[in-house]
């Protein structure tokens, strides 16, 4: 298990270690091949470990790398913007080989820190490159074609709804979540052109991903208006969506990882965003000496997105629906069906 560190004195520690690092000999450009000698630091996004969503999925990939590749890992849970940058600087100043930021919110900070520590490799999940901005050569932006996975659960919703109305509840109103919305709408429309999709967002700041009270209120409103399946893309805010779905007697669709156990009997399926795959592959590339900066995209073809479709956690999906959605997934993977991202 990765070791969790406190951030109480991170800023002071970073300053001291950064100064010390200037006195140390430069590290070589080629990564070390032995897994046990490679250290990987991961900094969580809003919600931290235990969010049962994107952070936990990334943590699974880190744990897998420690288990299968033998790398040494540590994690930090920031409490604010200053802590995010400080945490990455701390890992880099301590000589870690790879530093990973979990979430788009790291995009600006990770680029700044990567330029300050050119001998360290960095990766950012959900990296959002600034318009016209070039990535530092030591930074890998790990992105996902979320719209492809959202398309599939949208098709499930469209084939399963009894009312002809389904809902989408996003966390922060940003382009990243808009991609989920666009894919979901397209999936519903593909199988049920007459269906209506209600859309609501919890807010415009990162706190929108950790507001279950707001999530519950939005979900209650949509269910009261007739939506009988609600897809949330809202981090910890989704806990409120699940509670509302249970109380209103409708179904919910989870996100990022299998969220069935959050509300058994209520969660119809979950769209899977394989942060674990992206984290593991970035670390494996480092261990194998082929880590490269630039943008890497994970979609259906790369097993980067998908949905819960087998076992008891998908028992509420009709066999005919599974067959239809599997055929759609195959077409997307082969490039025969384009999914809109906005």
């Amino acid at each position: 298990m990765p070791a969790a560190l406190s951030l109480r004195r991170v800023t002071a520690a970073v300053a001291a270690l950064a100064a010390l690092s200037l006195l140390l000999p430069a590290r070589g450009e080629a990564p070390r091949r032995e897994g046990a000698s490679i250290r990987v630091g991961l900094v969580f996004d809003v919600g931290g470990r235990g969010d049962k969503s994107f952070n936990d999925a990334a943590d699974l990939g880190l744990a897998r790398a420690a288990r299968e590749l033998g790398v040494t890992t540590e994690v930090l849970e920031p409490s604010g913007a200053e802590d995010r940058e400080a945490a990455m600087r701390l890992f880099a100043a301590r000589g870690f080989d790879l530093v990973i930021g979990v979430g788009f919110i790291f995009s600006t900070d990770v680029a700044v820190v990567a330029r300050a520590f050119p001998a360290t490799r960095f990766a950012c999940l959900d990296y959002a490159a600034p318009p016209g901005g070039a990535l530092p050569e030591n930074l890998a932006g790990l992105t996902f074609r979320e719209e492809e996975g959202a398309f599939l659960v949208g098709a499930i919703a469209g084939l399963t709804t009894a009312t002809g109305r389904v809902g989408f509840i996003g966390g922060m109103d940003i382009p990243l979540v808009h991609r989920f919305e666009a894919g979901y709408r397209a999936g519903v429309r593909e199988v049920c052109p007459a269906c209506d999709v209600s859309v609501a967002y919890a807010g415009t700041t990162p706190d929108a991903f950790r507001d279950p009270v707001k999530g519950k209120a939005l979900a209650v409103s949509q269910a009261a208006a007739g939506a009988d399946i609600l897809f949330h893309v809202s981090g910890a805010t989704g806990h409120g969506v699940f509670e509302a779905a249970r109380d209103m007697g409708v179904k919910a669709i989870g996100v990022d990882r299998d969220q069935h156990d959050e509300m058994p009997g209520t969660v119809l399926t979950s769209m899977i965003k394989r942060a674990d795959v992206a984290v593991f592959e970035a670390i494996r590339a480092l261990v194998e000496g082929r880590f490269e900066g630039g943008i890497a995209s994970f979609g259906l073809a790369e097993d980067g997105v998908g949905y819960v479709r087998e076992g008891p956690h998908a028992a509420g999906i009709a066999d005919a629906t599974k067959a239809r959605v599997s055929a759609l997934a195959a077409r997307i993977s082969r490039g025969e069906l384009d999914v809109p991202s906005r």
Side-chain angles (χ1 to χ4, degrees):
M1 290 291 291
L5 302 178
S6 170
L7 278 179
R8 288 181 179 273
R9 290 171 290 184
V10 163
T11 303
V14 167
L17 285 168
L20 178 61
S21 69
L22 296 177
L23 304 176
L24 299 176
R27 295 167 56 215
E29 288 298 313
R32 294 167 291 196
R33 297 302 182 104
E34 298 80 11
S37 68
I38 292 177
R39 293 190 295 166
V40 180
L42 183 143
V43 186
F44 286 118
D45 193 3
V46 174
R49 177 189 279 163
D51 70 344
K52 300 180 181 179
S53 188
F54 198 55
N55 285 296
D56 280 355
D59 200 28
L60 285 175
L62 192 69
R64 180 186 171 194
R67 185 174 63 251
E68 297 184 15
L69 304 176
V71 299
T72 299
T73 66
E74 292 184 17
V75 302
L76 283 169
E77 297 190 28
S79 58
E82 292 183 358
D83 282 346
R84 285 194 297 273
E85 181 174 342
M88 290 186 289
R89 286 184 179 274
L90 176 59
F91 280 135
R94 290 174 60 202
F96 275 59
D97 299 275
L98 174 63
V99 180
I100 303 172
V102 181
F104 76 95
I105 203 167
F106 283 85
S107 299
T108 299
D109 292 338
V110 73
V112 170
V113 179
R115 290 187 175 95
F117 293 88
T120 302
R121 275 71 173 179
F122 292 83
C124 180
L125 287 163
D126 277 347
Y127 182 76
L135 274 71
E137 293 183 357
N138 58 330
L139 171 59
L142 310 178
T143 66
F144 298 85
R145 297 193 295 282
E146 296 92 352
E147 64 274 12
E148 294 181 358
F151 181 97
L152 300 183
V153 296
I156 291 172
L159 292 167
T160 306
T161 178
T163 65
R165 181 183 290 271
V166 299
F168 176 90
I169 297 171
M172 188 177 176
D173 191 350
I174 51 173
L176 170 63
V177 184
H178 296 168
R179 294 203 294 269
F180 286 91
E181 179 193 338
Y184 183 67
R185 284 181 178 275
V188 173
R189 185 170 58 249
E190 177 73 21
V191 300
C192 183
C195 283
D196 181 72
V197 182
S198 300
V199 175
Y201 284 83
T204 57
T205 70
D207 285 340
F209 288 115
R210 51 185 177 195
D211 190 349
V213 174
K214 182 65 174 290
K216 185 169 185 177
L218 294 175
V220 166
S221 177
Q222 290 189 352
D228 60 350
I229 300 176
L230 308 175
F231 176 36
H232 92 88
V233 181
S234 58
T237 298
H239 300 325
V241 176
F242 292 151
E243 289 181 352
R246 177 199 61 199
D247 296 346
M248 300 290 286
V250 301
K251 297 297 183 182
I253 296 175
V255 74
D256 291 336
R257 59 179 300 190
D258 186 353
Q259 294 191 307
H260 173 272
D261 291 342
E262 288 293 286
M263 201 65 66
T266 295
V267 177
L268 178 65
T269 185
S270 298
M271 188 212 129
I272 304 299
K273 184 172 174 179
R274 301 297 302 275
D276 58 323
V277 169
V279 166
F280 179 82
E281 290 301 329
I283 297 171
R284 182 162 68 176
L286 179 66
V287 171
E288 296 177 354
R290 52 182 179 80
F291 183 94
E292 294 183 355
I295 298 295
S297 178
F298 297 83
L300 283 173
E302 297 80 17
D303 194 30
V305 297
Y307 70 100
V308 177
R309 61 184 184 273
E310 298 176 348
H313 292 190
I317 307 174
D319 289 343
T321 296
K322 292 179 183 179
R324 177 80 181 277
V325 175
S326 292
L328 291 171
R331 290 178 59 199
I332 295 171
S333 294
R334 293 193 298 265
E336 298 172 0
L337 178 59
D338 291 327
V339 179
S341 60
R342 58 181 179 179

